[in-house]
Amino acid sequence: MNIQKSIRASLIKTNTLWILFVTTLLLFFTFRIVASQWGFTFIDSISSPEELRHLIAGMSAEQRISHSWATSTLDVAFPICAGLLFAGVALCFFPKYGVYLAIPGFLAIPTDLFEGVIQVLALTNNADLLDLKAIVTPLKASLLLAGLAIAIVGWSSWLFSKFRKKGH
C-alpha cells in the first residue's frame, strides 16, 4: 500500500475522525481559557499590520510571552487537528471528489503554522514580518472556513441519508 492510500485509510476511520473532532473542540475552547487567564487577545484573526503592531505594543511582557507560548503550542496543534479533521471528513463523505475537497483542510495546516511563526517572531521582538499577515491571515481563514463548510455539508448529507434510510 502506498503512503497516500495509507494516510487516506487512517484519516477516514471513524475513531480518527472522532479523536480529531474532540481534540479540535478542546483546543478551540482552550484558546479562550488561556486568553482570559493571561488577559490578552489572540492576534490570529487580525490581518492589519498596523493594528497588530499597536496591539502588541500595548501588551505587557507577560502577555507577550504567554501569547508566544500559546501560539507555539495550541496554535500548532489546532491547525493540524482541524485541518486533518476537515480533510478526513471530505475524504470520508465524498468518495468521488474527496481528494479535491480535502485540499482546503490540508492547505490550512501550513498556512496557519506560517502565520504562527510570523506572530511569534513579532511577539518576541525577533522580526517584524507582520505585513505578511495581511495576506496569510485571510488566506488561512478562507481555507479553514472552506474546510469547515465542506465538513458540514458532508456530515449533513450523511445524516440526511441515515434518516432517509430509517424512513423507508
Side-chain angles (χ1 to χ4, degrees):
M1 183 185 300
N2 69 30
I3 188 121
Q4 287 177 331
K5 287 183 182 179
S6 176
I7 291 170
R8 185 183 191 288
S10 294
L11 276 178
I12 65 172
K13 286 182 180 176
T14 304
N15 287 345
T16 302
L17 293 174
W18 272 111
I19 290 167
L20 289 169
F21 178 72
V22 169
T23 306
T24 299
L25 283 179
L26 288 172
L27 288 165
F28 178 81
F29 289 113
T30 303
F31 276 116
R32 278 43 183 173
I33 294 167
V34 168
S36 67
Q37 179 68 31
W38 279 278
F40 62 80
T41 301
F42 272 101
I43 60 176
D44 284 41
S45 60
I46 302 169
S47 61
S48 165
E50 295 78 26
E51 187 179 344
L52 286 163
R53 288 183 185 100
H54 178 74
L55 186 62
I56 292 170
M59 290 181 176
S60 69
E62 181 184 24
Q63 288 172 323
R64 289 168 71 129
I65 291 168
S66 299
H67 198 309
S68 294
W69 275 104
T71 300
S72 300
T73 55
L74 297 174
D75 205 20
V76 168
F78 180 80
I80 293 170
C81 290
L84 290 176
L85 172 65
F86 298 155
V89 169
L91 292 168
C92 183
F93 294 122
F94 300 100
K96 188 172 181 180
Y97 297 106
V99 68
Y100 302 108
L101 295 172
I103 290 172
F106 283 130
L107 289 179
I109 298 168
T111 305
D112 200 343
L113 294 176
F114 180 60
E115 180 194 43
V117 170
I118 294 167
Q119 292 173 180
V120 169
L121 289 171
L123 289 163
T124 57
N125 289 323
N126 284 307
D128 183 344
L129 302 174
L130 293 173
D131 289 335
L132 292 173
K133 276 193 47 89
I135 298 165
V136 175
T137 299
L139 176 60
K140 172 205 70 174
S142 298
L143 291 168
L144 286 171
L145 288 173
L148 176 62
I150 291 164
I152 290 171
V153 169
W155 282 320
S156 298
S157 64
W158 175 77
L159 278 173
F160 180 74
S161 71
K162 289 289 183 191
F163 286 123
R164 195 172 68 201
K165 286 179 184 175
K166 284 184 180 183
H168 288 290

